[in-house]
Amino acid sequence: MDTRRLATPWAGWGWYDDLYLVDPNGTRYSQDMIRTSAWTMELAHELTGSPLQVMVMKAELKKRLATPPPEILIRWNGQETRILPPSWKLKI
């Protein structure tokens, strides 16, 4: 099979002065531009998260909100002071 005839996503792409990647329309891309594009895609993925990440985070949030907040007990010179959690509590 002659693989030179198969169309690839890179068909028409090339190099200019061995410094820039050139698309079929003639637009030049430097190494920094390509690197920035890849990092931006990674950042967008991390900020938006996948549906599985969102479901896991929602389950963890529900679990934490269902746990009663702790009381704080301060002992000083034989006296005890109990600090209760806030009266409000988020409910889902």
Side-chain angles (χ1 to χ4, degrees):
M1 179 176 183
D2 187 8
T3 58
R4 290 176 288 168
R5 292 185 182 186
L6 295 176
T8 66
W10 294 103
W13 288 72
W15 294 98
Y16 178 79
D17 285 343
D18 292 332
L19 295 174
Y20 298 97
L21 181 64
V22 182
D23 68 10
N25 295 329
T27 308
R28 297 178 191 162
Y29 302 95
S30 69
Q31 290 179 0
D32 289 334
M33 291 168 71
I34 296 168
R35 223 179 270 126
T36 301
S37 178
W39 290 339
T40 303
M41 287 188 303
E42 287 180 24
L43 177 62
H45 178 72
E46 287 299 318
L47 291 176
T48 57
S50 67
L52 184 58
Q53 283 177 316
V54 172
M55 289 180 355
V56 168
M57 291 171 65
K58 183 177 179 182
E60 179 66 22
L61 178 61
K62 281 184 176 182
K63 184 176 93 176
R64 288 184 184 191
L65 289 175
T67 306
E71 295 180 352
I72 300 173
L73 181 62
I74 301 173
R75 291 188 181 121
W76 183 262
N77 288 336
Q79 293 184 354
E80 286 187 359
T81 303
R82 188 172 303 252
I83 300 173
L84 300 174
S87 60
W88 57 269
K89 181 148 170 85
L90 296 175
K91 296 189 188 225
I92 295 179

